[in-house]
């Protein structure tokens, strides 16, 4: 498939555990985004990469959240010492480069994270 | 701060009829982009239609069209000839720098 791939699709963790969510963007897409979608809400921006550079991490809710994209392709969102309020769907999106471009972001199916 | 407001949490429409979903936004920018995304239960956000703010002509994509009123900061989505497959959550989004700012969504039900 040529779309954005996220894994796992579902993740259940106990409070206090660390989790890692993976995103494999569309091949050739320079931009990569992470969004958090709470139940019944719209997605909220977490962080943005252009290639391997993390250009904006203003949406990360705390220092327990960490994202990386070391080779400019696959990205991992890590949440340390998870808390119940971290329960949400985490969406990854990728896009062609271009601030000022009207090119849309292409989204994956998301990872639903449940913290018990 | 940029905000996007969708005032209709839920809407319903009869199959084959027309429905309009509303969206307003707040920005101080003069050039920006607006999008409507559809999210079915599968969770994947699917682009429905996009509009560049500098274009006065309203965007259309088959049965989907927008009514873009820049002065009023309004960006409504019209779905004509509604189909059962149109049932989903619809999100209006505003693009600032690279990131998207989403509204809270409108749940659309299509009745047969």
């Amino acid at each position: 498939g040529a779309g954005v791939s996220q894994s796992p699709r579902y993740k259940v963790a106990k409070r206090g555990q660390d989790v890692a969510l993976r995103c494999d963007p569309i091949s050739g897409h320079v931009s990569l985004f992470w969004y958090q979608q709470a139940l019944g809400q719209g997605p909220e921006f977490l962080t943005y990469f252009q290639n391997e550079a993390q250009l904006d991490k203003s949406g990360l809710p705390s220092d327990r959240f960490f994202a990386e994209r070391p080779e400019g392709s696959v990205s991992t969102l890590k949440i340390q010492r998870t808390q119940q309020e971290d329960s949400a769907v985490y969406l990854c999106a990728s896009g062609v480069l271009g601030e000022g471009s009207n090119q849309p972001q292409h989204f994956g199916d998301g990872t639903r994270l449940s913290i018990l | 701060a940029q905000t996007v407001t969708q005032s209709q949490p839920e809407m319903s429409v009869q199959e084959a009829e027309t429905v309009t979903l509303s969206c307003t936004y707040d920005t101080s920018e003069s050039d920006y982009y607006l999008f409507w995304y559809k999210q079915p239960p599968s969770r994947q956000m699917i682009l429905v239609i996009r509009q560049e703010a500098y274009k006065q002509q309203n965007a259309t994509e088959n049965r989907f069209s927008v009514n873009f009123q820049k002065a009023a900061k309004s960006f409504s989505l019209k779905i004509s000839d509604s189909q059962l497959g149109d049932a989903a959550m619809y999100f209006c989004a505003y693009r600032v720098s690279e990131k998207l700012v989403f509204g809270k969504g409108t749940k659309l039900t299509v009745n047969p």
Side-chain angles (χ1 to χ4, degrees):
Chain A
V4 177
S5 178
Q6 291 187 247
S7 62
R9 186 160 172 79
Y10 301 91
K11 177 68 178 179
V12 180
K14 292 183 179 179
R15 186 165 57 94
Q17 288 183 330
D18 298 348
V19 299
L21 312 180
R22 176 188 169 104
C23 173
D24 200 338
I26 293 173
S27 177
H29 276 191
V30 171
S31 300
L32 186 144
F33 305 82
W34 284 98
Y35 293 86
Q36 180 189 58
Q37 186 175 21
L39 186 64
Q41 301 294 315
E44 292 191 356
F45 171 80
L46 292 177
T47 187
Y48 159 58
F49 289 86
Q50 189 178 109
N51 293 308
E52 69 278 6
Q54 189 174 21
L55 299 186
D56 187 345
K57 54 181 181 179
S58 61
L60 295 177
S62 77
D63 59 6
R64 298 185 296 104
F65 286 71
F66 173 76
E68 60 183 5
R69 193 186 185 197
E71 298 179 358
S73 178
V74 172
S75 176
T76 303
L77 177 67
K78 298 179 179 178
I79 309 173
Q80 298 176 324
R81 304 181 304 281
T82 53
Q83 300 178 5
Q84 283 194 323
E85 60 261 31
D86 300 336
S87 296
V89 173
Y90 290 85
L91 295 168
C92 177
S94 70
V96 297
L97 176 65
E99 182 167 348
S101 166
N102 70 345
Q103 295 305 307
Q105 297 174 17
H106 300 267
F107 285 80
D109 289 345
T111 294
R112 182 179 296 280
L113 175 63
S114 298
I115 305 300
L116 305 180
Chain B
Q2 288 86 1
T3 59
V4 177
T5 302
Q6 293 181 249
S7 59
Q8 306 151 316
E10 297 187 24
M11 291 284 284
S12 63
V13 63
Q14 290 296 125
E15 195 176 4
E17 294 190 347
T18 297
V19 63
T20 299
L21 309 183
S22 65
C23 173
T24 58
Y25 57 94
D26 185 22
T27 181
S28 56
E29 302 290 329
S30 60
D31 194 16
Y32 48 88
Y33 302 91
L34 296 163
F35 303 85
W36 277 97
Y37 278 89
K38 168 185 177 181
Q39 187 179 43
S42 66
R43 298 202 306 257
Q44 185 181 29
M45 300 285 280
I46 301 166
L47 178 69
V48 174
I49 198 165
R50 64 186 126 172
Q51 174 80 43
E52 293 92 337
Y54 63 86
K55 289 187 177 178
Q56 293 185 340
Q57 186 174 7
N58 289 324
T60 62
E61 286 288 342
N62 300 313
R63 298 183 295 108
F64 299 88
S65 62
V66 299
N67 182 3
F68 173 50
Q69 299 183 12
K70 191 172 183 178
K73 297 180 182 176
S74 173
F75 182 59
S76 61
L77 174 69
K78 185 171 82 170
I79 306 174
S80 304
D81 187 25
S82 297
Q83 300 176 358
L84 295 177
D86 295 334
M89 286 291 295
Y90 284 82
F91 292 95
C92 177
Y94 162 91
R95 180 168 174 165
V96 51
S97 298
E98 288 291 332
K99 66 186 180 186
L100 293 171
V101 177
F102 288 88
K104 291 188 174 183
T106 296
K107 181 179 180 182
L108 178 66
T109 301
V110 181
N111 300 310

